[in-house]
Amino acid sequence: MNLLLLGEIESSFVEIAPTHLTLHGAHVHPWLEERTYSLLELREVLLDRATPNPVRDALWRHTVRAARRSQEWMVGALGLAMPMLRGCARRASRGLGQDSTQIIEAELVAFTIRQIRITTLDHGALGYYLLCRVRRAALGERKRALVAAAQRGWGSAEATDLEDAPEATRSCEPVLEAAVRAGTLTTAEAELIARTRLEKVSLVALSTETGVAYKTLAKRRQRAETRLAAALNAAPGQTSSSSSLVASVPVSPGYRHRFSEVAQPKASKTPWPLAS
């Protein structure tokens, strides 16, 4: 059976990473050990919740710089991005046929390569910045695939649940990006909020997908949303050891209002419920 494009890229990445895609830890960031890492190993470091955001940014910058000079390192950059690519492609392809899935994967890979070539390297939270754009592109490809399916006279009821997601995602992602850059949220926390609040994925479904206990996800989200709400609502003059999101990274009032509309219950001002 032929692998889909993402599977082919992953196979190439796993094959060449130990010998051709290596970085010395101390050259990337002092937090890493004084030894040589393969990019495959560094991907695990990137996915580890304990890894500080500055280390993630440094790793992405090194990889993206190299990818702009070398085809092998472009495979490395795509391999580093594979968890986000697979997640976005899987959600965008849900309920669609294999032909549509192949088209979506090809378009996402092409889009990611373009982003790797043009993204500003001094952008804070670089990995999450890329994720937001890949997710948005995936939702756009899904919408086009649904239109094409309707024109061919077939479709799936399951394949209609994300049609309203691009607008919410486009409007609210700047708030989450700013929160990650400011250190208010980790990349994983921002992704958890985006998946469950903006894309309307239930915590039950996310628990099944990730293997993380439902209650653990609920508690993580509650803590993250509490910090985010405090940062967004902080008075402009407040500057403490945990300075406000608004003070550290400017976010337009319109984006903050739109985020509140999507993420908070409209019926009351009580905190978000633990579960959804």
Side-chain angles (χ1 to χ4, degrees):
M1 185 177 78
N2 292 331
L3 291 171
L4 292 176
L5 179 58
L6 294 185
E8 293 176 355
I9 293 171
E10 176 70 3
S11 295
S12 298
F13 173 67
V14 170
E15 181 180 351
I16 67 176
T19 54
H20 293 77
L21 305 174
T22 60
L23 289 169
H24 192 274
H27 294 166
V28 176
H29 194 279
W31 186 85
L32 294 169
E33 296 176 14
E34 282 268 5
R35 64 179 179 86
T36 299
Y37 291 80
S38 76
L39 207 58
L40 184 61
E41 186 179 5
L42 286 170
R43 185 169 73 182
E44 296 304 314
V45 173
L46 196 66
L47 294 173
D48 190 338
R49 287 176 54 84
T51 302
N53 283 339
V55 179
R56 302 174 195 274
D57 284 347
L59 175 55
W60 273 112
R61 290 189 188 104
H62 273 73
T63 304
V64 169
R65 285 194 191 99
R68 292 175 177 178
R69 302 189 299 267
S70 162
Q71 288 186 343
E72 286 183 339
W73 275 89
M74 182 59 78
V75 172
L78 292 173
L80 205 62
M82 190 58 64
M84 76 171 75
L85 283 170
R86 278 185 164 156
C88 290
R90 182 172 59 251
R91 294 193 293 275
S93 303
R94 192 169 63 217
L96 298 173
Q98 184 161 336
D99 288 347
S100 296
T101 298
Q102 290 176 332
I103 293 171
I104 288 171
E105 287 195 2
E107 291 297 330
L108 285 187
V109 168
F111 177 84
T112 304
I113 290 173
R114 288 196 298 272
Q115 291 300 306
I116 289 170
R117 287 174 175 163
I118 67 174
T119 296
T120 303
L121 292 181
D122 59 359
H123 197 290
L126 184 55
Y128 190 69
Y129 177 87
L130 288 171
L131 170 60
C132 288
R133 275 140 191 80
V134 172
R135 182 196 291 121
R136 193 179 305 164
L139 294 174
E141 290 303 321
R142 178 177 178 82
K143 188 173 183 179
R144 280 188 281 274
L146 290 173
V147 170
Q151 289 174 345
R152 291 195 297 269
W154 62 269
S156 167
E158 185 184 3
T160 62
D161 58 347
L162 294 181
E163 285 194 71
D164 295 331
E167 177 59 31
T169 301
R170 183 167 53 251
S171 299
C172 301
E173 277 176 351
V175 177
L176 295 176
E177 285 182 35
V180 174
R181 292 199 302 273
T184 303
L185 300 177
T186 66
T187 299
E189 288 169 338
E191 175 66 357
L192 174 59
I193 293 173
R195 292 291 310 281
T196 58
R197 297 302 190 187
L198 305 186
E199 296 180 21
K200 307 298 184 184
V201 176
S202 72
L203 286 174
V204 174
L206 191 60
S207 175
T208 301
E209 177 184 323
T210 62
V212 179
Y214 169 89
K215 288 185 177 179
T216 300
L217 290 174
K219 288 177 181 177
R220 286 176 183 171
R221 186 179 68 178
Q222 185 181 50
R223 294 190 193 105
E225 288 175 341
T226 298
R227 289 199 309 275
L228 181 58
L232 290 173
N233 295 327
Q238 282 185 331
T239 53
S240 61
S241 56
S242 57
S243 58
S244 76
L245 170 63
V246 179
S248 55
V249 180
V251 179
S252 73
Y255 279 141
R256 291 201 300 275
H257 177 69
R258 177 61 178 156
F259 184 87
S260 297
E261 284 185 336
V262 172
Q264 296 188 36
K266 295 181 175 62
S268 69
K269 294 184 180 180
T270 57
W272 283 321
L274 186 63
S276 68

